[in-house]
Amino acid sequence: MSLAIVCGFLFALIWLLFYLPESISSLSHSLLNYTRPLDDKLASSPLSKARLSRGTKLTSGLNLASFQLRDHHNRVFNNQALKGRWHLISYGYTSCPDICPNTLLLLTQLENKLKSGNKRPDLHFLFYTIDPARDSAEKLALYVAYFSENLTGIRAEEKDKARAFEQDLGIKAQVNNNSDNGDYQVSHGGALYLINPDGQLQAVFQPLKDPFGNLAFDIDVLYRDYLWIRENLG
């Protein structure tokens, strides 16, 4: 065996013994903290000094074009219904297997966290279905009841009537129901939209993406960003 091969073998053995464990530990730490982008210093900073992590605050609220939807009680839900209190809008469809229920469970956590700390708990939650053809008012009522009494389902009686509402918020969704066997595919984004008491779009929150490509919100990041916006308006 040549001297070069022996030296190469010894070098590889030394690397395995001393450097590989450290590399694995570093990689594991990165993966575990991927959904926690705020460092310890920021996490412990006073809220008024924290910067937004996953949200975009609009300097002035964006007026929404006139729209008319229905809530899960089949009552009219329009621009006027957004006025007088803060709202946080999520969207999806009731047959969604993962993203929608996970997001709504997280919003329930956010609601409980705000109430327990008595910090800006005057927030109402809305779930807008992008599949009104299958999500009737009755089905929507059963669905939102699983999550919170402070959650209202909203839908469009006709998809065309909701076009301006979706465009103003920036809702991204596609429903493909042209399959011959009756199946259909739905794809959509995962942003959350904060509406101020004037019925204007005040901020947009974007989900994190984990190393596997899945979209999800971090409850602590969302909580901090929401309170930062409420404390720093104007």
Side-chain angles (χ1 to χ4, degrees):
M1 184 179 293
S2 68
L3 181 60
I5 294 176
V6 172
C7 291
F9 176 78
L10 290 175
F11 176 80
L13 182 61
I14 292 172
W15 188 88
L16 286 171
L17 290 174
F18 293 98
Y19 294 100
L20 183 59
E22 182 179 350
S23 299
I24 293 176
S25 175
S26 176
L27 177 61
S28 300
H29 178 78
S30 297
L31 291 175
L32 288 173
N33 288 280
Y34 189 87
T35 58
R36 302 267 182 169
L38 300 179
D39 56 28
D40 293 337
K41 182 178 180 181
L42 178 57
S44 61
S45 298
L47 185 63
S48 60
K49 296 182 181 179
R51 61 178 174 81
L52 283 174
S53 176
R54 300 297 300 176
T56 300
K57 172 183 173 293
L58 305 182
T59 303
S60 58
L62 174 68
N63 290 319
L64 302 181
S66 178
F67 67 87
Q68 183 163 308
L69 308 173
R70 292 274 178 175
D71 67 13
H72 67 258
H73 298 295
N74 207 30
R75 297 177 301 207
V76 172
F77 190 95
N78 53 23
N79 301 72
Q80 191 63 33
L82 289 177
K83 295 183 178 181
R85 66 188 304 185
W86 288 86
H87 293 84
L88 189 60
I89 302 176
S90 63
Y91 68 99
Y93 61 111
T94 62
S95 299
C96 180
D98 40 35
I99 295 177
C100 302
N102 289 340
T103 300
L104 292 178
L105 285 172
L106 177 131
L107 296 185
T108 301
Q109 287 182 283
L110 176 62
E111 178 186 9
N112 293 335
K113 195 175 179 71
L114 293 171
K115 287 181 177 179
S116 64
N118 195 27
K119 292 185 176 181
R120 308 289 182 175
D122 54 332
L123 179 64
H124 186 67
F125 300 92
L126 299 171
F127 177 74
Y128 171 73
T129 177
I130 57 173
D131 190 17
R134 293 172 176 81
D135 289 343
S136 64
E138 294 78 12
K139 189 174 183 179
L140 204 53
L142 290 173
Y143 185 72
V144 298
Y146 285 120
F147 301 98
S148 172
E149 294 181 354
N150 191 31
L151 174 64
T152 299
I154 52 177
R155 60 185 295 276
E157 289 187 300
E158 297 179 18
K159 200 72 168 68
D160 290 342
K161 292 184 178 180
R163 198 175 307 280
F165 177 76
E166 295 183 1
Q167 289 177 346
D168 281 352
L169 292 180
I171 288 176
K172 298 178 181 178
Q174 183 174 2
V175 180
N176 182 6
N177 55 4
N178 296 321
S179 178
D180 295 333
N181 59 9
D183 293 336
Y184 69 104
Q185 294 181 334
V186 181
S187 59
H188 62 87
L192 299 172
Y193 306 98
L194 183 64
I195 308 297
N196 66 30
D198 292 325
Q200 301 171 318
L201 177 62
Q202 187 63 68
V204 179
F205 302 109
Q206 296 291 348
L208 300 161
K209 182 179 289 187
D210 68 18
F212 306 101
N214 301 311
L215 297 177
F217 284 92
D218 183 297
I219 180 62
D220 294 327
V221 172
L222 181 60
Y223 174 75
R224 188 177 296 112
D225 280 358
Y226 165 71
L227 289 182
W228 190 93
I229 289 172
R230 292 292 304 272
E231 297 289 346
N232 289 274
L233 281 176

